[in-house]
Amino acid sequence: MFVAPRAGELAPARPSGTALLTDISLSDQTAEFAARVESARKAGAGDFRFRVMALAAAVAVMVIFAGVIVSLLAGAMPAFRAFGLSFVVTEAWSPTEETFGALASIYGTLVTSVLAMLIAVPVGIGIAIFLTELCPRPLRRPIAIAIELLAGIPSIIYGIWGLFVFAPWFQLNVQQPIIDATDGIPVIGTLLGGAPYGIGIFTASVILSVMILPFISAVTRDVLETVPGVLKEAAYGLGCTTWEVMWRVALPFARTGVVGGAMLALGRALGETMAITFVIGNAHNIDSSLFSPGTTISATIANEFTEATGALYTSSLIAMGLILFVITFIVLAAAQLMLRTMEQRAGK
Amino acid sequence: MKTAFANPGLYIRRRITNTLFVVLSFAAAVFGLVWLGLILYALLRAGITAFGPHIFTMPTPPPGMEGGLSNAILGSVIMSVLAVAAGTPIGLFAGTYLAEYGRHHRFSFFVRFVNDILLSAPSIVIGLFVYEVVVRRMGHFSAIAGAVSLTVIVIPVVVRTTENMLLLVPNGLREAATALGAPRNFVIKAVTWKAARAGIMTGVLLAIARISGETAPLLFTSLGNNFSSSDLTQPIDSLPTRIFNFAMSPYDDWHALAWAGALLVTATVLVLSIAARLLEKKQRT
């Protein structure tokens, strides 16, 4: 007959096995048996309570997520009601006239993120390949840790550094020569024209690319390590060069994971706030030049929210927050599905 | 039949491509390291000159006056402690649910999905959420609202690491304890939590590192305060928002204090990250 032992008795080790046997034989005696049943019932109740607490905490995570969506929707309602669809397709942003259009911010968010990805994806994959294939073994860990520290540095530090150190240097040594060199060339001259402000869309993109670099290289490194050694050895055995092994064998194998990692980084880039707020210039316009100041959704909210007077102004900023959340949600959800697929494949 | 050797042009082309590729990969790694070096160098140079005991003892000054960052440091510590105290239990239990109770349950799939979204969601959106839910209800900015927004950032970090670390605990341990007749909650508390202790601490350290530099959600929840305050219902200062305000100001002495604050925040975050990494390594071996 099975009798559940008292929970508390398990903690101290029993002196010997015989004590356990005595316990069981004693348990047929009624008083002892009743006490056992009672303590088992208590342990069961405690077990149930614990389970409920764990479940409640898991539900809490869902509730927070739902709360974010519901509260943003509620806060954004006045703005959407006042402007309708024109909110996302007009550029005008005038607190004094109470007309708000998010287009300039949405444009800035998308352009900075795309530019940052153009820089960070090749560099991040390069770092990952360097670390998995080319780097001398003793140097691998230190370099990997150093690259990952880049992800640990808070956004605001990138911001203050970008504003005081990077932007002035960039203005003098990169922007000015490029503007001079491309002046007069169609398209490129326009894209890289204007005055060298130092701060602006392009500067923000460069800083952003460094911030998301570690995410791309870390995920890529992880998935490259799941490539079976025999695949690479077979390719090397056929006489392939390192480049051919990486480009034709390892990367195609790890493709889903690499794309997933890039999407994860894109999600970060879209929502990045403080670093951009420092270096983008916060101008509500869409300029043909990438060197001109602009703004992003997050930078606009960070700059203007506490100073927003009037319900419509606040609501418009919250509406932009909702748009940002929806965009990042889609990107991050896609990233997760890809990384999950990769994980499952690695598990098999 | 043509082979690579019969076609020296192809052979040379392949070698050149490969060399180019190796050089570019190396350059990519150097690129990353150079940025880290430049940022840390600038931080140390500008931060150390502005650093001193006055940073910890004197409150933020008006422009042109002498002062430190004591109110900002106090505010950051208060809000971080509250956020970790509130967020760790919720994250621990939710992570435990995912790893121990509902490992293969459909509901867990959704929780994991939502948690990973929250983990990477823009923190400024979290700030807007807390503004709507707390600040608007209270009618004003407060330390509580700041702490709530940091809690929302702590929870997903702790959930993710707790689940990962509990999954590393071998099932044999759970089975052995269960076979002795221990109830499930006892197995979890005395066996799996204990076995994953270092890993769970890793999650908490990572969460603290994460919120130490978090600025965006505090801008419109705790706002900032020029004076020392420990009143939780009132606006409170924090290091990151103070760095933001001072760096954006036109005054040189405020810039210097911003650099000192930046150095302090970065040092804290890097020390916590490295400690977390060491603990995680201990857990995995």
Side-chain angles (χ1 to χ4, degrees), chain A residues 209-285:
Chain A
S209 73
V210 179
M211 298 182 71
I212 59 175
L213 195 58
F215 292 100
I216 297 176
S217 71
V219 175
T220 309
R221 199 167 65 106
D222 284 349
V223 293
L224 282 181
E225 270 163 13
T226 66
V227 177
V230 285
L231 270 186
K232 289 190 281 186
E233 283 156 18
Y236 278 122
L238 286 174
C240 287
T241 60
T242 313
W243 155 255
E244 285 160 349
V245 172
M246 282 290 120
W247 190 246
R248 305 243 174 102
V249 179
L251 280 178
F253 183 90
R255 193 174 41 213
T256 319
V258 174
V259 176
M263 298 284 267
L264 195 67
L266 178 62
R268 291 275 176 161
L270 290 165
E272 187 43 62
T273 309
M274 296 320 291
I276 289 188
T277 307
F278 274 96
V279 295
I280 199 162
N282 304 303
H284 280 279
N285 57 36

Side-chain angles (χ1 to χ4, degrees), chain B residues 160-175:
Chain B
R160 169 92 349 266
T161 21
T162 303
E163 194 203 352
N164 286 349
M165 294 303 164
L166 289 179
L167 289 180
L168 287 179
V169 177
N171 262 336
L173 283 182
R174 295 187 185 93
E175 283 158 9

